Amino acid sequence: MKLYAPSTIKDIKARHDFQLSRSLGQNFLTDKNIIDKIVEAPEIGPHDLVIEIGPGIGVLTAEAARRAAKVVAVEIDRKLIPILQETLAEFDNIEILNQDILKTDLHKILEQNREYKGQKIEGVKIIGNLPYYITTPIIMKILEEGVPADSITIMMQKEVADRLKAPPGSRTYGAISAAVAYYCRVDHVANVPKEVFIPQPKVDSAVLKLSLRKEKPLELANEKLFFQCIKAGFGQRRKTLLNSLTGVGGYTKEQVESALSEAGIDSKRRAETLGIEEFGKVANALQRKI
């Protein structure tokens, strides 16, 4: 059964009396080429565990299950559970969880799936077609919780993808760009036109692969302070670093000015001109002011 075919989607909706939820951002993908790219990008192997976020009717799930040891699909919409049980009935290596991914304990899932059918799980790949409105919270949950995955390959609104991969100094560079650069290497997988979805959204999408770094790219004296500096800097983009960082962690303007000088950074610069290395220098210099 071609789950991505518009006729199949129409038939499933009719038989299950299923109505797509706009509030959950449900848009079903109908392009096999894009489906293949999403599943091929993380290089899923026979000893891998795949965690899929928002399986919908199981289009990506089925393709991942053909490659992986096991797939755990996390779906928030309880009305999709019987549909998934039907469309994925041929597979015995898929577990469907009716949960909100933002409230799901991913470490617990990994702990429960160290082995599958007597074989050790060697890699963890996260995939998904994310609802536009919670893309960033989902990504940051995975990164901040330190989920030991190899990669996160996800489809998202193109505008969000542009922000995630934006370099310092660009118009779309922001706090999320810096945070993702700290945790991951970002690769563009595919552009996805809005015409290949049912229903058709108003915007185009893109697929990114975020490969999680095995080692931190910076030596930080205080990682929390590093992220506080990023958040404060981009929270007041029009202000100079001297002004936007004053008060962060209780530091005075004089301490911030001294730290910027030590880091070799002009106090009149703005946050969007700094890469993560320079933010690291600032945070480390501030830490020495304690």
mmCIF file with all atom_site columns, all heavy atoms in Angstrom, residues 192-217:
data_model
loop_
_atom_site.group_PDB
_atom_site.id
_atom_site.type_symbol
_atom_site.label_atom_id
_atom_site.label_alt_id
_atom_site.label_comp_id
_atom_site.label_asym_id
_atom_site.label_entity_id
_atom_site.label_seq_id
_atom_site.pdbx_PDB_ins_code
_atom_site.Cartn_x
_atom_site.Cartn_y
_atom_site.Cartn_z
_atom_site.occupancy
_atom_site.B_iso_or_equiv
_atom_site.pdbx_formal_charge
_atom_site.auth_seq_id
_atom_site.auth_comp_id
_atom_site.auth_asym_id
_atom_site.auth_atom_id
_atom_site.pdbx_PDB_model_num
ATOM 1   N N   . VAL A 1 192 ? 11.341 21.359 0.185  1.00 0.00 ? 192 VAL A N   1
ATOM 2   C CA  . VAL A 1 192 ? 10.076 20.650 -0.017 1.00 0.00 ? 192 VAL A CA  1
ATOM 3   C C   . VAL A 1 192 ? 8.983  21.672 -0.347 1.00 0.00 ? 192 VAL A C   1
ATOM 4   O O   . VAL A 1 192 ? 8.548  22.434 0.524  1.00 0.00 ? 192 VAL A O   1
ATOM 5   C CB  . VAL A 1 192 ? 9.673  19.853 1.243  1.00 0.00 ? 192 VAL A CB  1
ATOM 6   C CG1 . VAL A 1 192 ? 8.449  18.988 0.940  1.00 0.00 ? 192 VAL A CG1 1
ATOM 7   C CG2 . VAL A 1 192 ? 10.830 18.993 1.740  1.00 0.00 ? 192 VAL A CG2 1
ATOM 8   N N   . PRO A 1 193 ? 8.507  21.690 -1.597 1.00 0.00 ? 193 PRO A N   1
ATOM 9   C CA  . PRO A 1 193 ? 7.455  22.649 -1.966 1.00 0.00 ? 193 PRO A CA  1
ATOM 10  C C   . PRO A 1 193 ? 6.130  22.317 -1.296 1.00 0.00 ? 193 PRO A C   1
ATOM 11  O O   . PRO A 1 193 ? 5.831  21.146 -1.031 1.00 0.00 ? 193 PRO A O   1
ATOM 12  C CB  . PRO A 1 193 ? 7.365  22.504 -3.492 1.00 0.00 ? 193 PRO A CB  1
ATOM 13  C CG  . PRO A 1 193 ? 7.856  21.118 -3.761 1.00 0.00 ? 193 PRO A CG  1
ATOM 14  C CD  . PRO A 1 193 ? 8.919  20.855 -2.747 1.00 0.00 ? 193 PRO A CD  1
ATOM 15  N N   . LYS A 1 194 ? 5.353  23.339 -1.027 1.00 0.00 ? 194 LYS A N   1
ATOM 16  C CA  . LYS A 1 194 ? 4.077  23.144 -0.319 1.00 0.00 ? 194 LYS A CA  1
ATOM 17  C C   . LYS A 1 194 ? 3.100  22.293 -1.098 1.00 0.00 ? 194 LYS A C   1
ATOM 18  O O   . LYS A 1 194 ? 2.173  21.705 -0.532 1.00 0.00 ? 194 LYS A O   1
ATOM 19  C CB  . LYS A 1 194 ? 3.445  24.506 0.009  1.00 0.00 ? 194 LYS A CB  1
ATOM 20  C CG  . LYS A 1 194 ? 3.224  25.439 -1.159 1.00 0.00 ? 194 LYS A CG  1
ATOM 21  C CD  . LYS A 1 194 ? 2.622  26.750 -0.671 1.00 0.00 ? 194 LYS A CD  1
ATOM 22  C CE  . LYS A 1 194 ? 2.427  27.759 -1.804 1.00 0.00 ? 194 LYS A CE  1
ATOM 23  N NZ  . LYS A 1 194 ? 3.714  28.283 -2.304 1.00 0.00 ? 194 LYS A NZ  1
ATOM 24  N N   . GLU A 1 195 ? 3.308  22.175 -2.420 1.00 0.00 ? 195 GLU A N   1
ATOM 25  C CA  . GLU A 1 195 ? 2.366  21.432 -3.262 1.00 0.00 ? 195 GLU A CA  1
ATOM 26  C C   . GLU A 1 195 ? 2.379  19.920 -3.011 1.00 0.00 ? 195 GLU A C   1
ATOM 27  O O   . GLU A 1 195 ? 1.482  19.207 -3.480 1.00 0.00 ? 195 GLU A O   1
ATOM 28  C CB  . GLU A 1 195 ? 2.685  21.692 -4.743 1.00 0.00 ? 195 GLU A CB  1
ATOM 29  C CG  . GLU A 1 195 ? 2.330  23.094 -5.227 1.00 0.00 ? 195 GLU A CG  1
ATOM 30  C CD  . GLU A 1 195 ? 3.382  24.129 -4.835 1.00 0.00 ? 195 GLU A CD  1
ATOM 31  O OE1 . GLU A 1 195 ? 4.497  23.733 -4.402 1.00 0.00 ? 195 GLU A OE1 1
ATOM 32  O OE2 . GLU A 1 195 ? 3.094  25.346 -4.984 1.00 0.00 ? 195 GLU A OE2 1
ATOM 33  N N   . VAL A 1 196 ? 3.375  19.392 -2.286 1.00 0.00 ? 196 VAL A N   1
ATOM 34  C CA  . VAL A 1 196 ? 3.462  17.934 -2.091 1.00 0.00 ? 196 VAL A CA  1
ATOM 35  C C   . VAL A 1 196 ? 2.839  17.488 -0.762 1.00 0.00 ? 196 VAL A C   1
ATOM 36  O O   . VAL A 1 196 ? 3.113  16.391 -0.293 1.00 0.00 ? 196 VAL A O   1
ATOM 37  C CB  . VAL A 1 196 ? 4.923  17.428 -2.199 1.00 0.00 ? 196 VAL A CB  1
ATOM 38  C CG1 . VAL A 1 196 ? 5.500  17.769 -3.550 1.00 0.00 ? 196 VAL A CG1 1
ATOM 39  C CG2 . VAL A 1 196 ? 5.789  18.002 -1.080 1.00 0.00 ? 196 VAL A CG2 1
ATOM 40  N N   . PHE A 1 197 ? 1.997  18.342 -0.185 1.00 0.00 ? 197 PHE A N   1
ATOM 41  C CA  . PHE A 1 197 ? 1.324  17.998 1.067  1.00 0.00 ? 197 PHE A CA  1
ATOM 42  C C   . PHE A 1 197 ? -0.190 17.956 0.895  1.00 0.00 ? 197 PHE A C   1
ATOM 43  O O   . PHE A 1 197 ? -0.752 18.643 0.035  1.00 0.00 ? 197 PHE A O   1
ATOM 44  C CB  . PHE A 1 197 ? 1.631  19.040 2.148  1.00 0.00 ? 197 PHE A CB  1
ATOM 45  C CG  . PHE A 1 197 ? 3.050  19.043 2.632  1.00 0.00 ? 197 PHE A CG  1
ATOM 46  C CD1 . PHE A 1 197 ? 3.968  19.933 2.101  1.00 0.00 ? 197 PHE A CD1 1
ATOM 47  C CD2 . PHE A 1 197 ? 3.467  18.174 3.627  1.00 0.00 ? 197 PHE A CD2 1
ATOM 48  C CE1 . PHE A 1 197 ? 5.275  19.964 2.554  1.00 0.00 ? 197 PHE A CE1 1
ATOM 49  C CE2 . PHE A 1 197 ? 4.773  18.197 4.087  1.00 0.00 ? 197 PHE A CE2 1
ATOM 50  C CZ  . PHE A 1 197 ? 5.686  19.090 3.556  1.00 0.00 ? 197 PHE A CZ  1
ATOM 51  N N   . ILE A 1 198 ? -0.831 17.149 1.725  1.00 0.00 ? 198 ILE A N   1
ATOM 52  C CA  . ILE A 1 198 ? -2.293 17.154 1.879  1.00 0.00 ? 198 ILE A CA  1
ATOM 53  C C   . ILE A 1 198 ? -2.594 17.375 3.354  1.00 0.00 ? 198 ILE A C   1
ATOM 54  O O   . ILE A 1 198 ? -2.160 16.581 4.192  1.00 0.00 ? 198 ILE A O   1
ATOM 55  C CB  . ILE A 1 198 ? -2.915 15.820 1.425  1.00 0.00 ? 198 ILE A CB  1
ATOM 56  C CG1 . ILE A 1 198 ? -2.778 15.630 -0.095 1.00 0.00 ? 198 ILE A CG1 1
ATOM 57  C CG2 . ILE A 1 198 ? -4.402 15.783 1.805  1.00 0.00 ? 198 ILE A CG2 1
ATOM 58  C CD1 . ILE A 1 198 ? -3.330 14.292 -0.580 1.00 0.00 ? 198 ILE A CD1 1
ATOM 59  N N   . PRO A 1 199 ? -3.338 18.449 3.689  1.00 0.00 ? 199 PRO A N   1
ATOM 60  C CA  . PRO A 1 199 ? -3.694 19.583 2.831  1.00 0.00 ? 199 PRO A CA  1
ATOM 61  C C   . PRO A 1 199 ? -2.460 20.440 2.546  1.00 0.00 ? 199 PRO A C   1
ATOM 62  O O   . PRO A 1 199 ? -1.449 20.318 3.239  1.00 0.00 ? 199 PRO A O   1
ATOM 63  C CB  . PRO A 1 199 ? -4.717 20.345 3.684  1.00 0.00 ? 199 PRO A CB  1
ATOM 64  C CG  . PRO A 1 199 ? -4.284 20.063 5.096  1.00 0.00 ? 199 PRO A CG  1
ATOM 65  C CD  . PRO A 1 199 ? -3.797 18.631 5.084  1.00 0.00 ? 199 PRO A CD  1
ATOM 66  N N   . GLN A 1 200 ? -2.563 21.280 1.556  1.00 0.00 ? 200 GLN A N   1
ATOM 67  C CA  . GLN A 1 200 ? -1.428 22.114 1.173  1.00 0.00 ? 200 GLN A CA  1
ATOM 68  C C   . GLN A 1 200 ? -1.260 23.262 2.151  1.00 0.00 ? 200 GLN A C   1
ATOM 69  O O   . GLN A 1 200 ? -2.179 24.057 2.350  1.00 0.00 ? 200 GLN A O   1
ATOM 70  C CB  . GLN A 1 200 ? -1.640 22.668 -0.231 1.00 0.00 ? 200 GLN A CB  1
ATOM 71  C CG  . GLN A 1 200 ? -0.474 23.501 -0.744 1.00 0.00 ? 200 GLN A CG  1
ATOM 72  C CD  . GLN A 1 200 ? -0.667 23.931 -2.181 1.00 0.00 ? 200 GLN A CD  1
ATOM 73  O OE1 . GLN A 1 200 ? -0.989 23.106 -3.042 1.00 0.00 ? 200 GLN A OE1 1
ATOM 74  N NE2 . GLN A 1 200 ? -0.490 25.218 -2.459 1.00 0.00 ? 200 GLN A NE2 1
ATOM 75  N N   . PRO A 1 201 ? -0.088 23.362 2.812  1.00 0.00 ? 201 PRO A N   1
ATOM 76  C CA  . PRO A 1 201 ? 0.152  24.485 3.724  1.00 0.00 ? 201 PRO A CA  1
ATOM 77  C C   . PRO A 1 201 ? 0.397  25.777 2.939  1.00 0.00 ? 201 PRO A C   1
ATOM 78  O O   . PRO A 1 201 ? 0.470  25.758 1.705  1.00 0.00 ? 201 PRO A O   1
ATOM 79  C CB  . PRO A 1 201 ? 1.403  24.049 4.497  1.00 0.00 ? 201 PRO A CB  1
ATOM 80  C CG  . PRO A 1 201 ? 2.123  23.160 3.533  1.00 0.00 ? 201 PRO A CG  1
ATOM 81  C CD  . PRO A 1 201 ? 1.062  22.445 2.750  1.00 0.00 ? 201 PRO A CD  1
ATOM 82  N N   . LYS A 1 202 ? 0.554  26.858 3.664  1.00 0.00 ? 202 LYS A N   1
ATOM 83  C CA  . LYS A 1 202 ? 0.758  28.151 3.007  1.00 0.00 ? 202 LYS A CA  1
ATOM 84  C C   . LYS A 1 202 ? 2.227  28.424 2.686  1.00 0.00 ? 202 LYS A C   1
ATOM 85  O O   . LYS A 1 202 ? 2.539  29.365 1.946  1.00 0.00 ? 202 LYS A O   1
ATOM 86  C CB  . LYS A 1 202 ? 0.218  29.274 3.892  1.00 0.00 ? 202 LYS A CB  1
ATOM 87  C CG  . LYS A 1 202 ? -1.292 29.213 4.097  1.00 0.00 ? 202 LYS A CG  1
ATOM 88  C CD  . LYS A 1 202 ? -1.771 30.343 4.995  1.00 0.00 ? 202 LYS A CD  1
ATOM 89  C CE  . LYS A 1 202 ? -3.273 30.268 5.209  1.00 0.00 ? 202 LYS A CE  1
ATOM 90  N NZ  . LYS A 1 202 ? -3.761 31.359 6.115  1.00 0.00 ? 202 LYS A NZ  1
ATOM 91  N N   . VAL A 1 203 ? 3.127  27.621 3.255  1.00 0.00 ? 203 VAL A N   1
ATOM 92  C CA  . VAL A 1 203 ? 4.557  27.883 3.097  1.00 0.00 ? 203 VAL A CA  1
ATOM 93  C C   . VAL A 1 203 ? 5.299  26.626 2.663  1.00 0.00 ? 203 VAL A C   1
ATOM 94  O O   . VAL A 1 203 ? 4.819  25.504 2.843  1.00 0.00 ? 203 VAL A O   1
ATOM 95  C CB  . VAL A 1 203 ? 5.175  28.405 4.412  1.00 0.00 ? 203 VAL A CB  1
ATOM 96  C CG1 . VAL A 1 203 ? 4.581  29.754 4.781  1.00 0.00 ? 203 VAL A CG1 1
ATOM 97  C CG2 . VAL A 1 203 ? 4.972  27.401 5.541  1.00 0.00 ? 203 VAL A CG2 1
ATOM 98  N N   . ASP A 1 204 ? 6.487  26.822 2.094  1.00 0.00 ? 204 ASP A N   1
ATOM 99  C CA  . ASP A 1 204 ? 7.343  25.708 1.717  1.00 0.00 ? 204 ASP A CA  1
ATOM 100 C C   . ASP A 1 204 ? 8.082  25.183 2.942  1.00 0.00 ? 204 ASP A C   1
ATOM 101 O O   . ASP A 1 204 ? 8.170  25.852 3.982  1.00 0.00 ? 204 ASP A O   1
ATOM 102 C CB  . ASP A 1 204 ? 8.360  26.153 0.659  1.00 0.00 ? 204 ASP A CB  1
ATOM 103 C CG  . ASP A 1 204 ? 7.711  26.496 -0.675 1.00 0.00 ? 204 ASP A CG  1
ATOM 104 O OD1 . ASP A 1 204 ? 6.668  25.890 -0.994 1.00 0.00 ? 204 ASP A OD1 1
ATOM 105 O OD2 . ASP A 1 204 ? 8.249  27.363 -1.392 1.00 0.00 ? 204 ASP A OD2 1
ATOM 106 N N   . SER A 1 205 ? 8.620  23.988 2.811  1.00 0.00 ? 205 SER A N   1
ATOM 107 C CA  . SER A 1 205 ? 9.346  23.349 3.907  1.00 0.00 ? 205 SER A CA  1
ATOM 108 C C   . SER A 1 205 ? 10.773 23.019 3.490  1.00 0.00 ? 205 SER A C   1
ATOM 109 O O   . SER A 1 205 ? 11.158 23.200 2.331  1.00 0.00 ? 205 SER A O   1
ATOM 110 C CB  . SER A 1 205 ? 8.628  22.060 4.339  1.00 0.00 ? 205 SER A CB  1
ATOM 111 O OG  . SER A 1 205 ? 7.333  22.334 4.800  1.00 0.00 ? 205 SER A OG  1
ATOM 112 N N   . ALA A 1 206 ? 11.537 22.525 4.434  1.00 0.00 ? 206 ALA A N   1
ATOM 113 C CA  . ALA A 1 206 ? 12.900 22.065 4.166  1.00 0.00 ? 206 ALA A CA  1
ATOM 114 C C   . ALA A 1 206 ? 13.226 20.952 5.143  1.00 0.00 ? 206 ALA A C   1
ATOM 115 O O   . ALA A 1 206 ? 12.651 20.869 6.234  1.00 0.00 ? 206 ALA A O   1
ATOM 116 C CB  . ALA A 1 206 ? 13.899 23.211 4.303  1.00 0.00 ? 206 ALA A CB  1
ATOM 117 N N   . VAL A 1 207 ? 14.142 20.098 4.744  1.00 0.00 ? 207 VAL A N   1
ATOM 118 C CA  . VAL A 1 207 ? 14.601 19.009 5.603  1.00 0.00 ? 207 VAL A CA  1
ATOM 119 C C   . VAL A 1 207 ? 16.047 19.281 5.988  1.00 0.00 ? 207 VAL A C   1
ATOM 120 O O   . VAL A 1 207 ? 16.889 19.543 5.134  1.00 0.00 ? 207 VAL A O   1
ATOM 121 C CB  . VAL A 1 207 ? 14.508 17.642 4.889  1.00 0.00 ? 207 VAL A CB  1
ATOM 122 C CG1 . VAL A 1 207 ? 15.002 16.528 5.811  1.00 0.00 ? 207 VAL A CG1 1
ATOM 123 C CG2 . VAL A 1 207 ? 13.089 17.372 4.419  1.00 0.00 ? 207 VAL A CG2 1
ATOM 124 N N   . LEU A 1 208 ? 16.328 19.232 7.286  1.00 0.00 ? 208 LEU A N   1
ATOM 125 C CA  . LEU A 1 208 ? 17.684 19.396 7.793  1.00 0.00 ? 208 LEU A CA  1
ATOM 126 C C   . LEU A 1 208 ? 18.095 18.152 8.552  1.00 0.00 ? 208 LEU A C   1
ATOM 127 O O   . LEU A 1 208 ? 17.264 17.493 9.180  1.00 0.00 ? 208 LEU A O   1
ATOM 128 C CB  . LEU A 1 208 ? 17.789 20.603 8.740  1.00 0.00 ? 208 LEU A CB  1
ATOM 129 C CG  . LEU A 1 208 ? 17.523 22.004 8.190  1.00 0.00 ? 208 LEU A CG  1
ATOM 130 C CD1 . LEU A 1 208 ? 17.757 23.041 9.290  1.00 0.00 ? 208 LEU A CD1 1
ATOM 131 C CD2 . LEU A 1 208 ? 18.372 22.309 6.973  1.00 0.00 ? 208 LEU A CD2 1
ATOM 132 N N   . LYS A 1 209 ? 19.383 17.852 8.506  1.00 0.00 ? 209 LYS A N   1
ATOM 133 C CA  . LYS A 1 209 ? 19.953 16.804 9.349  1.00 0.00 ? 209 LYS A CA  1
ATOM 134 C C   . LYS A 1 209 ? 20.871 17.469 10.363 1.00 0.00 ? 209 LYS A C   1
ATOM 135 O O   . LYS A 1 209 ? 21.832 18.140 9.987  1.00 0.00 ? 209 LYS A O   1
ATOM 136 C CB  . LYS A 1 209 ? 20.745 15.796 8.513  1.00 0.00 ? 209 LYS A CB  1
ATOM 137 C CG  . LYS A 1 209 ? 21.426 14.719 9.354  1.00 0.00 ? 209 LYS A CG  1
ATOM 138 C CD  . LYS A 1 209 ? 22.273 13.798 8.484  1.00 0.00 ? 209 LYS A CD  1
ATOM 139 C CE  . LYS A 1 209 ? 23.015 12.770 9.323  1.00 0.00 ? 209 LYS A CE  1
ATOM 140 N NZ  . LYS A 1 209 ? 23.896 11.903 8.479  1.00 0.00 ? 209 LYS A NZ  1
ATOM 141 N N   . LEU A 1 210 ? 20.544 17.310 11.644 1.00 0.00 ? 210 LEU A N   1
ATOM 142 C CA  . LEU A 1 210 ? 21.369 17.847 12.716 1.00 0.00 ? 210 LEU A CA  1
ATOM 143 C C   . LEU A 1 210 ? 22.178 16.694 13.303 1.00 0.00 ? 210 LEU A C   1
ATOM 144 O O   . LEU A 1 210 ? 21.626 15.815 13.964 1.00 0.00 ? 210 LEU A O   1
ATOM 145 C CB  . LEU A 1 210 ? 20.499 18.483 13.804 1.00 0.00 ? 210 LEU A CB  1
ATOM 146 C CG  . LEU A 1 210 ? 19.397 19.452 13.349 1.00 0.00 ? 210 LEU A CG  1
ATOM 147 C CD1 . LEU A 1 210 ? 18.648 19.994 14.561 1.00 0.00 ? 210 LEU A CD1 1
ATOM 148 C CD2 . LEU A 1 210 ? 19.964 20.586 12.519 1.00 0.00 ? 210 LEU A CD2 1
ATOM 149 N N   . SER A 1 211 ? 23.470 16.679 13.037 1.00 0.00 ? 211 SER A N   1
ATOM 150 C CA  . SER A 1 211 ? 24.336 15.628 13.568 1.00 0.00 ? 211 SER A CA  1
ATOM 151 C C   . SER A 1 211 ? 24.890 16.098 14.905 1.00 0.00 ? 211 SER A C   1
ATOM 152 O O   . SER A 1 211 ? 25.622 17.092 14.967 1.00 0.00 ? 211 SER A O   1
ATOM 153 C CB  . SER A 1 211 ? 25.479 15.337 12.594 1.00 0.00 ? 211 SER A CB  1
ATOM 154 O OG  . SER A 1 211 ? 24.975 14.901 11.337 1.00 0.00 ? 211 SER A OG  1
ATOM 155 N N   . LEU A 1 212 ? 24.527 15.403 15.967 1.00 0.00 ? 212 LEU A N   1
ATOM 156 C CA  . LEU A 1 212 ? 24.930 15.843 17.308 1.00 0.00 ? 212 LEU A CA  1
ATOM 157 C C   . LEU A 1 212 ? 26.428 15.631 17.521 1.00 0.00 ? 212 LEU A C   1
ATOM 158 O O   . LEU A 1 212 ? 26.973 14.582 17.177 1.00 0.00 ? 212 LEU A O   1
ATOM 159 C CB  . LEU A 1 212 ? 24.144 15.089 18.381 1.00 0.00 ? 212 LEU A CB  1
ATOM 160 C CG  . LEU A 1 212 ? 22.740 15.647 18.661 1.00 0.00 ? 212 LEU A CG  1
ATOM 161 C CD1 . LEU A 1 212 ? 21.789 15.384 17.519 1.00 0.00 ? 212 LEU A CD1 1
ATOM 162 C CD2 . LEU A 1 212 ? 22.183 15.066 19.941 1.00 0.00 ? 212 LEU A CD2 1
ATOM 163 N N   . ARG A 1 213 ? 27.054 16.644 18.062 1.00 0.00 ? 213 ARG A N   1
ATOM 164 C CA  . ARG A 1 213 ? 28.496 16.589 18.311 1.00 0.00 ? 213 ARG A CA  1
ATOM 165 C C   . ARG A 1 213 ? 28.789 15.617 19.449 1.00 0.00 ? 213 ARG A C   1
ATOM 166 O O   . ARG A 1 213 ? 28.133 15.650 20.488 1.00 0.00 ? 213 ARG A O   1
ATOM 167 C CB  . ARG A 1 213 ? 29.028 17.980 18.667 1.00 0.00 ? 213 ARG A CB  1
ATOM 168 C CG  . ARG A 1 213 ? 28.795 19.034 17.589 1.00 0.00 ? 213 ARG A CG  1
ATOM 169 C CD  . ARG A 1 213 ? 29.468 20.344 17.986 1.00 0.00 ? 213 ARG A CD  1
ATOM 170 N NE  . ARG A 1 213 ? 29.095 21.445 17.110 1.00 0.00 ? 213 ARG A NE  1
ATOM 171 C CZ  . ARG A 1 213 ? 29.667 21.698 15.929 1.00 0.00 ? 213 ARG A CZ  1
ATOM 172 N NH1 . ARG A 1 213 ? 30.617 20.896 15.493 1.00 0.00 ? 213 ARG A NH1 1
ATOM 173 N NH2 . ARG A 1 213 ? 29.288 22.727 15.197 1.00 0.00 ? 213 ARG A NH2 1
ATOM 174 N N   . LYS A 1 214 ? 29.804 14.790 19.257 1.00 0.00 ? 214 LYS A N   1
ATOM 175 C CA  . LYS A 1 214 ? 30.225 13.859 20.301 1.00 0.00 ? 214 LYS A CA  1
ATOM 176 C C   . LYS A 1 214 ? 31.030 14.582 21.376 1.00 0.00 ? 214 LYS A C   1
ATOM 177 O O   . LYS A 1 214 ? 31.055 14.166 22.531 1.00 0.00 ? 214 LYS A O   1
ATOM 178 C CB  . LYS A 1 214 ? 31.051 12.720 19.704 1.00 0.00 ? 214 LYS A CB  1
ATOM 179 C CG  . LYS A 1 214 ? 30.311 11.909 18.637 1.00 0.00 ? 214 LYS A CG  1
ATOM 180 C CD  . LYS A 1 214 ? 29.016 11.326 19.184 1.00 0.00 ? 214 LYS A CD  1
ATOM 181 C CE  . LYS A 1 214 ? 28.285 10.511 18.107 1.00 0.00 ? 214 LYS A CE  1
ATOM 182 N NZ  . LYS A 1 214 ? 26.960 10.035 18.577 1.00 0.00 ? 214 LYS A NZ  1
ATOM 183 N N   . GLU A 1 215 ? 31.692 15.666 20.977 1.00 0.00 ? 215 GLU A N   1
ATOM 184 C CA  . GLU A 1 215 ? 32.457 16.471 21.916 1.00 0.00 ? 215 GLU A CA  1
ATOM 185 C C   . GLU A 1 215 ? 32.034 17.928 21.782 1.00 0.00 ? 215 GLU A C   1
ATOM 186 O O   . GLU A 1 215 ? 31.735 18.396 20.681 1.00 0.00 ? 215 GLU A O   1
ATOM 187 C CB  . GLU A 1 215 ? 33.960 16.339 21.655 1.00 0.00 ? 215 GLU A CB  1
ATOM 188 C CG  . GLU A 1 215 ? 34.494 14.931 21.874 1.00 0.00 ? 215 GLU A CG  1
ATOM 189 C CD  . GLU A 1 215 ? 35.991 14.842 21.629 1.00 0.00 ? 215 GLU A CD  1
ATOM 190 O OE1 . GLU A 1 215 ? 36.608 15.893 21.313 1.00 0.00 ? 215 GLU A OE1 1
ATOM 191 O OE2 . GLU A 1 215 ? 36.544 13.737 21.742 1.00 0.00 ? 215 GLU A OE2 1
ATOM 192 N N   . LYS A 1 216 ? 32.019 18.656 22.877 1.00 0.00 ? 216 LYS A N   1
ATOM 193 C CA  . LYS A 1 216 ? 31.637 20.059 22.857 1.00 0.00 ? 216 LYS A CA  1
ATOM 194 C C   . LYS A 1 216 ? 32.651 20.858 22.030 1.00 0.00 ? 216 LYS A C   1
ATOM 195 O O   . LYS A 1 216 ? 33.859 20.631 22.140 1.00 0.00 ? 216 LYS A O   1
ATOM 196 C CB  . LYS A 1 216 ? 31.562 20.620 24.291 1.00 0.00 ? 216 LYS A CB  1
ATOM 197 C CG  . LYS A 1 216 ? 30.505 19.944 25.156 1.00 0.00 ? 216 LYS A CG  1
ATOM 198 C CD  . LYS A 1 216 ? 29.114 20.275 24.676 1.00 0.00 ? 216 LYS A CD  1
ATOM 199 C CE  . LYS A 1 216 ? 28.035 19.541 25.465 1.00 0.00 ? 216 LYS A CE  1
ATOM 200 N NZ  . LYS A 1 216 ? 27.995 19.895 26.887 1.00 0.00 ? 216 LYS A NZ  1
ATOM 201 N N   . PRO A 1 217 ? 32.191 21.800 21.218 1.00 0.00 ? 217 PRO A N   1
ATOM 202 C CA  . PRO A 1 217 ? 33.098 22.555 20.346 1.00 0.00 ? 217 PRO A CA  1
ATOM 203 C C   . PRO A 1 217 ? 33.896 23.632 21.081 1.00 0.00 ? 217 PRO A C   1
ATOM 204 O O   . PRO A 1 217 ? 34.840 24.185 20.527 1.00 0.00 ? 217 PRO A O   1
ATOM 205 C CB  . PRO A 1 217 ? 32.144 23.189 19.329 1.00 0.00 ? 217 PRO A CB  1
ATOM 206 C CG  . PRO A 1 217 ? 30.871 23.382 20.103 1.00 0.00 ? 217 PRO A CG  1
ATOM 207 C CD  . PRO A 1 217 ? 30.782 22.184 21.012 1.00 0.00 ? 217 PRO A CD  1
#
